[in-house]
Amino acid sequence: MVQTANIRRVAVLGAGVMGAQIAAHLVNAGIDTVLFDLPAKEGDANGIVKKAIDNLKKLKPAPFSSAARAEHVAMANYGSDLERLADCDLIIEAIAERLDWKLDLYAKIAPHLAPHAILATNTSGLSIGKLAEGVPAELRDRFCGIHFFNPPRYMYLVELIPTAHTAAAQLDALESFLVTRLGKGVVRAKDTPNFIANRIGVFSMLATIHHAERFGIRFDVVDDLTGPRLGRPKSATFRTADVVGLDTFAHVVKTMTDNLPNDPWHAHYQAPAWMQALIEKGALGQKTRAGIYKKEGRDIFVLDPKAGEYVPSGQKGSDEVKAILKIENPAERVAALRASANPEAQFLWSCMRDVWQYIAYWLGDIAGNARDVDFAIRWGFGWKQGPFEMWQAAGWKAIAAAINEDIAAGKTMSSAALPAWVAQRDGVHAAEGSYSAADNSLKPASNLPVYQRQIYPPTVFGAAEPVYGETVFENDGVRMWLRAGDDVPVLTFKTKAHCVGAAVLEGVQKAVKIAEDRFPGLVIWHPEAPFSVGADLASMGPAFMSGDFAAIESMVHEFQKTSMTIKYSQVPVVAAAQGYAFGGGCEFLMHSARVVAALETYVGLVEVGVGLLPAGGGCKEFGLRASREAKGGDILAVLKDYYMAMAMAKVGTSAEEAKEIGYLRESDIIVFNANEILHVAQSQVRALADSNYKAPVKPKAFAVAGRTGAATIRGQLVNMLEGGFISKYDYFIGCQIADVVTGGDVDAGALVDEEWILKLERERFMALLKKGKTQERIMYMLENNKPLRN
C-alpha cells in the first residue's frame, strides 16, 4: 500500500482560473473537495464559488472528467466556513500573486487547521521561502509549494518546492498522492524565480522572440519551424503565447525581471514592445480572440511587429531548412543547421544554443539534477525531448565546443561562460543517474514506493534503456513477451498507431492460445499511446482498388473471430488502454475480460466517419448488453443510447465518460497515472486467476428489438436529418446500424445468437464498403486524417 499521507479531504483556497480547475481535478479523482473564496457582497455568500463552478462547466477542454463531477465540489467562503478546514488533510492556496494577501490568509486560516494538515501554495512566481517566513511557526514543517500547470487535469507536470523547514516525510507523502491519486509527474524544484519549467521554458520563448527579430523571421514561419518539426507542440512559440495569454506571459517574464537583477541574461527578461502594445489594447491572445494571431471569418492573420499590423498568415519555413530538420541523426541535423547560411537555419541554431548555454549555467541553482530539467520541460511545455537530452543526443562535446566558439565570437545573448563541469563530462544522463551540478554527482531516479507501480517509468535519453522482456511469440503485427520473474505475459502491437490488420488479428488469436496453454492470463498493452486507432484501412487498399471484396470480407470475419477469441478465452485477457481506442480498438476493449484505462483514454466506435459501421463485434456487443440490461422489459429503451453512440460516432473524452456511454463497463478500472496501467492490469489478471476465472458463458439466444425497434430508430433519424444534424448519407448508415443492432428483419422480442448479429455486421459492412460515398470517406480519412461528412 503506497503511503499518500491519508489525504481524504482537500480545501482549495481561491476560486480563480487555477484554483477552480485544481478543485475540479481533485473531484475527478474522487477526493472530497471544498472550494473557498471571499463571501459575495450580495445574495448567496458562496456566489463567487458558484459562478466559478458554473464557468468550469463551459470550459473546453473540459476540466471535469464527467459533467456530473461538478456537483461534487463543495462551496465555502472565508466569512462563515473556516471551521470546515478542520477536517481537511491538505489545503492548497491558489489566490492572486500578492505576498501580503497570501500571508494575511495564512494567518486567518491557521487556527482552523488540523495538526496533521499540509498547507501548500500554488504560486508560480513568489518565493516559497518568503511565504514560509510569514507562515505561523507551527505550520512551517507542513508548508511547501505545489505548482500545477494549466489546465490541471491535462498537464502532467506538478512542481513540488520544499522550504528549509518542510518535513521530508510530508513531502514524500504529498508526492505519492500527486503521482498515484492525481496522475501527475512530479519534479522537485528549488526555490528560485519561476522554478524550473517556466524559468527555462519562458527563457526559450524569449530567446526565440529575440532571434526572430535578429534574423527577420516572420512569426508564422517561426511557429512552423519551432513546432513538431523541432519535436515541440503544434502551438510552437507564438501560438503558445496566445494560448497562455500575453498578459500571463508578460507577468512570468516580470517575475524574472524583478527577482534576477544579477542574472547574465537580465537584459533580455522583458516582454517586447509590440507585445506590450497588444496587452495595452486588450489583445491578450486566445481568450480575447486576438493577440499575436487573430481570426476573421475563416482567415487567420498574424502580427507584423515592424508594421504594427496584421498580415495574412500561413507562410512556412524554407524547403532547405525543412529538409535539414528531417535528418534523423541529431548530431548531423544540428551540425547542418549551424553550417547553413540560411537565416532560418541560423535562427534555429541560435535558439537551441542559447538555451543550452542557459541550462548549463543555471543547472546547479534551479534543479537537483538534469533529469528534473528535462522532465519539467517535457511535461510542462510538451517537448518530445528535454533540452539536456537534445544536447546529449547531438553530441555533448561537439555542442559544448560550438557554444564556446559562439560565446567567444559574441554571438550569444550573454557572454556567460559555460561552467567547468561541462568540459569534464560526456553528457548528463547515464544508466547510473543524471548529473547534479550542485553535488557534482549522478542522481538516481526517486525510490519512493509509489514508483514501484510504474513498471516502465519515463526515462531520459542516455539513461538505461527499458527492457521489454523475453519474446514468447512474435509475428509481423504483434510481440508477446514476458519480463524475467513475471508470470503474466504482455501483448504489444508493432503497427503504426497500433492499427489492426491481418498480422495483428492472427497474432492476437495465437497469443490468446499460448496464454490459455501456459499462463494465468494475458495483458494487451503498448508502451506508448494510443491503444489502437482501429482497423488498418490502408492495408485494405490493394484489395479495395482491385475490387477483391471477398478478401476484405474474410478480414472482417477474422476481426470478429479475434474479438470473440478475446471474450471467450479460458484465461482473462485484460486490456490496458491509454490515448485513443477507436473503432476496432474500442471493440477489443468491449470484448476483454476487464479494461484498465488511464483517465485520459478517449474511446469510441467511430466507423460512421469512414462511411462504415462497427463490424468487429461492436454492434453485437451493444445489442447483447441492451437485451441483458432490459431484463425482459423494453429492450429499445436501453438500446437507444447505445445506438446513438455508434450512429453519431460519439467519443468518450475520458475513461469515465466512456463508462457512461457504455464502451467501458462498471467493472472496468480507471487509473489516473498512465504509467501505472500495466502494473494494475497484470494485478487484475492475477486477481481474476486467483478467483478461479471462468470464461463467460456463450448465450444460446437473447432477445432483440426487431424490425419495429429499427423503425422507431429510423423515425428519430428522420427528425435529425430534417433538422440538419446529419447528412443524407449519415441517415443511410444510421439505418444500417439500426437494422443490425435490433437483430434485422425479425419480430420484436425474437431470440437470436451472437453469430446472427455478427453475420448482419459483415453483410451491412460489405454493402456499405461498395458505396461510392463510403469510398470517398475512406480516401479522405487516409489523405487528411479527419472525417468527411458527404
Side-chain angles (χ1 to χ4, degrees):
M1 181 71 179
V2 175
Q3 175 57 255
T4 59
N6 292 320
I7 294 171
R8 314 283 187 198
R9 197 161 195 251
V10 179
V12 179
L13 311 181
V17 172
M18 283 301 291
Q21 291 197 68
I22 291 168
H25 193 56
L26 285 162
V27 298
N28 289 342
I31 307 295
D32 192 4
T33 303
V34 189
L35 180 59
F36 279 80
D37 211 299
L38 295 166
K41 294 178 181 178
E42 298 177 359
D44 185 348
N46 293 328
I48 294 173
V49 174
K50 185 178 186 303
K51 183 178 179 181
I53 295 171
D54 288 341
N55 287 338
L56 288 177
K57 298 174 186 177
K58 304 170 190 173
L59 280 183
K60 297 291 180 185
F64 293 110
S65 56
S66 162
R69 290 283 174 186
E71 305 304 318
H72 295 271
V73 182
M75 297 182 284
N77 66 83
Y78 307 129
S80 58
D81 299 321
L82 289 179
E83 70 278 0
R84 297 177 70 175
L85 293 170
D87 299 327
C88 296
D89 308 300
L90 170 64
I91 295 86
I92 300 173
E93 171 271 304
I95 68 169
E97 296 284 69
R98 282 272 303 267
L99 182 69
D100 53 340
W101 290 1
K102 291 178 186 288
L103 295 182
D104 285 347
L105 183 58
Y106 298 163
K108 189 172 186 178
I109 66 171
H112 302 275
L113 302 188
H116 70 280
I118 299 171
L119 174 62
T121 175
N122 186 58
T123 183
S124 59
L126 295 177
S127 165
I128 307 298
K130 284 185 180 178
L131 287 168
E133 290 171 8
V135 169
E138 67 274 13
L139 271 173
R140 284 181 192 159
D141 67 340
R142 293 178 278 135
F143 179 76
C144 65
I146 181 173
H147 183 215
F148 288 84
F149 276 64
N150 190 24
R153 170 183 160 185
Y154 300 94
M155 295 301 290
Y156 190 57
L157 178 65
V158 172
E159 291 175 314
L160 207 53
I161 311 99
T163 73
H165 306 286
T166 309
Q170 297 278 19
L171 211 62
D172 289 350
L174 187 54
E175 178 170 348
S176 299
F177 169 78
L178 290 166
V179 168
T180 202
R181 289 300 302 275
L182 298 191
K184 296 303 174 188
V186 173
V187 167
R188 295 199 185 186
K190 295 187 179 182
D191 186 17
T192 54
N194 291 336
F195 312 126
I196 300 174
N198 277 343
R199 175 75 173 271
I200 295 167
V202 168
F203 173 78
S204 176
M205 292 175 72
L206 288 171
T208 304
I209 292 168
H210 171 77
H211 291 303
E213 182 179 355
R214 273 188 64 222
F215 289 100
I217 314 293
R218 282 173 52 116
F219 291 174
D220 49 355
V221 174
V222 168
D223 278 354
D224 180 56
L225 295 173
T226 61
R229 297 185 198 280
L230 211 61
R232 300 180 188 177
K234 289 181 181 179
S235 57
T237 302
F238 291 107
R239 287 190 188 280
T240 293
D242 269 354
V243 170
V244 168
L246 302 187
D247 53 339
T248 302
F249 179 79
H251 173 78
V252 176
V253 172
K254 190 173 186 302
T255 298
M256 297 162 78
T257 309
D258 294 345
N259 295 287
L260 296 167
N262 300 317
D263 188 307
W265 286 267
H266 184 266
H268 297 284
Y269 293 157
Q270 53 184 327
W274 57 261
M275 185 180 289
Q276 295 290 358
L278 288 175
I279 293 169
E280 288 169 11
K281 291 177 187 174
L284 306 179
Q286 187 171 281
K287 59 189 172 185
T288 61
R289 300 187 178 182
I292 297 169
Y293 290 89
K294 74 171 181 178
K295 191 173 183 181
E296 294 181 0
R298 294 187 176 183
D299 298 322
I300 299 173
F301 297 85
V302 65
L303 182 72
D304 177 347
K306 289 183 179 178
E309 58 188 35
Y310 290 94
V311 297
S313 74
Q315 285 197 20
K316 305 293 183 182
S318 68
D319 290 341
E320 176 192 344
V321 174
K322 287 189 289 187
I324 292 173
L325 291 176
K326 289 180 181 177
I327 297 172
E328 288 191 17
N329 183 291
E332 292 176 11
R333 183 169 62 246
V334 174
L337 286 173
R338 186 168 186 248
S340 172
N342 188 302
E344 293 173 10
Q346 285 301 304
F347 156 75
L348 288 174
W349 159 251
S350 298
C351 291
M352 291 187 289
R353 173 202 64 208
D354 284 9
V355 170
W356 288 330
Q357 178 192 11
Y358 189 83
I359 59 174
Y361 186 91
W362 285 117
L363 174 59
D365 291 77
I366 66 174
N369 59 73
R371 179 180 51 249
D372 287 347
V373 169
D374 282 337
F375 280 162
I377 296 299
R378 276 166 49 178
W379 299 342
F381 279 77
W383 295 17
K384 285 187 178 178
Q385 278 192 319
F388 277 121
E389 290 180 282
M390 293 173 70
W391 181 350
Q392 187 162 332
W396 184 265
K397 289 193 178 296
I399 294 296
I403 295 171
N404 281 326
E405 282 181 28
D406 283 7
I407 292 172
K411 294 181 178 180
T412 53
M413 293 168 67
S414 164
S415 60
L418 290 177
W421 65 262
V422 172
Q424 297 163 5
R425 302 199 57 80
D426 293 320
V428 288
H429 302 306
E432 301 88 343
S434 292
Y435 184 69
S436 166
D439 296 342
N440 191 32
S441 64
L442 293 175
K443 299 288 186 182
S446 172
N447 62 358
L448 282 178
V450 70
Y451 292 111
Q452 293 173 14
R453 295 171 58 84
Q454 300 183 12
I455 297 174
Y456 294 101
T459 59
V460 287
F461 177 87
E465 289 290 320
V467 178
Y468 294 112
E470 292 293 324
T471 299
V472 176
F473 157 74
E474 187 171 15
N475 70 3
D476 289 342
V478 306
R479 177 174 178 255
M480 182 184 186
W481 50 276
L482 188 70
R483 288 186 303 136
D486 206 348
D487 60 338
V488 179
V490 179
L491 185 68
T492 296
F493 300 172
K494 295 158 56 177
T495 50
K496 183 180 180 181
H498 307 127
C499 63
V500 181
V504 170
L505 296 174
E506 178 191 346
V508 172
Q509 292 180 44
K510 175 76 171 176
V512 171
K513 181 70 170 65
I514 293 171
E516 287 176 329
D517 291 343
R518 296 171 49 188
F519 300 106
L522 177 68
V523 169
I524 302 175
W525 173 82
H526 314 302
E528 302 290 339
F531 178 75
S532 174
V533 293
D536 182 4
L537 294 174
S539 71
M540 296 183 189
F544 183 69
M545 297 302 290
S546 65
D548 187 0
F549 290 104
I552 297 176
E553 184 170 5
S554 175
M555 183 177 170
V556 174
H557 192 275
E558 282 301 305
F559 213 124
Q560 294 178 336
K561 182 181 175 183
T562 305
S563 293
M564 296 291 275
T565 298
I566 290 170
K567 181 173 182 177
Y568 292 110
S569 166
Q570 295 304 301
V571 294
V573 177
V574 174
Q578 59 175 319
Y580 300 118
F582 288 159
C586 173
E587 288 169 309
F588 280 179
L589 297 187
M590 293 173 74
H591 287 81
S592 298
R594 187 149 297 165
V595 177
V596 175
L599 178 69
E600 301 307 331
T601 305
Y602 310 111
V603 187
L605 293 174
V606 297
E607 286 85 349
V608 168
V610 288
L612 296 168
L613 54 72
C619 294
K620 177 269 303 177
E621 198 64 16
F622 269 158
L624 174 58
R625 291 181 190 182
S627 180
R628 286 176 169 170
E629 289 166 25
K631 297 179 179 177
D634 186 352
I635 296 172
L636 187 60
V638 180
L639 183 63
K640 62 182 181 181
D641 286 341
Y642 290 154
Y643 166 80
M644 289 305 295
M646 293 186 287
M648 300 304 291
K650 191 171 184 181
V651 173
T653 56
S654 70
E656 188 171 7
E657 274 195 5
K659 273 193 177 186
E660 293 170 352
I661 294 168
Y663 297 132
L664 302 184
R665 298 148 299 188
E666 279 305 310
S667 58
D668 292 330
I669 293 167
I670 298 173
V671 174
F672 270 56
N673 197 314
N675 293 310
E676 296 181 0
I677 61 172
L678 177 57
H679 163 80
V680 177
Q682 289 187 309
S683 298
Q684 285 297 307
V685 167
R686 295 185 188 102
L688 289 167
D690 285 348
S691 57
N692 295 317
Y693 177 81
K694 294 178 181 61
V697 176
K698 284 190 179 183
K700 290 184 177 180
F702 60 93
V704 290
R707 67 177 74 87
T708 56
T712 301
I713 291 172
R714 284 196 200 95
Q716 294 176 330
L717 289 175
V718 168
N719 292 336
M720 295 174 70
L721 178 63
E722 292 178 349
F725 297 105
I726 58 175
S727 71
K728 286 184 179 180
Y729 200 58
D730 288 331
Y731 170 80
F732 178 75
I733 301 167
C735 290
Q736 308 311 302
I737 297 173
D739 287 346
V740 173
V741 82
T742 57
D745 189 17
V746 297
D747 294 334
L751 299 178
V752 303
D753 61 12
E754 288 179 286
E755 287 302 326
W756 176 270
I757 305 289
L758 291 173
K759 183 171 179 288
L760 285 174
E761 282 186 1
R762 290 196 303 275
E763 291 173 349
R764 299 304 174 93
F765 180 94
M766 294 307 301
L768 284 168
L769 189 61
K770 295 171 184 177
K771 298 287 185 184
K773 286 189 179 292
T774 286
Q775 293 169 13
E776 287 174 12
R777 289 192 179 194
I778 291 172
M779 295 309 296
Y780 190 86
M781 175 63 77
L782 289 173
E783 291 172 6
N784 301 285
N785 198 32
K786 59 182 179 181
L788 169 70
R789 286 297 162 92
N790 50 359

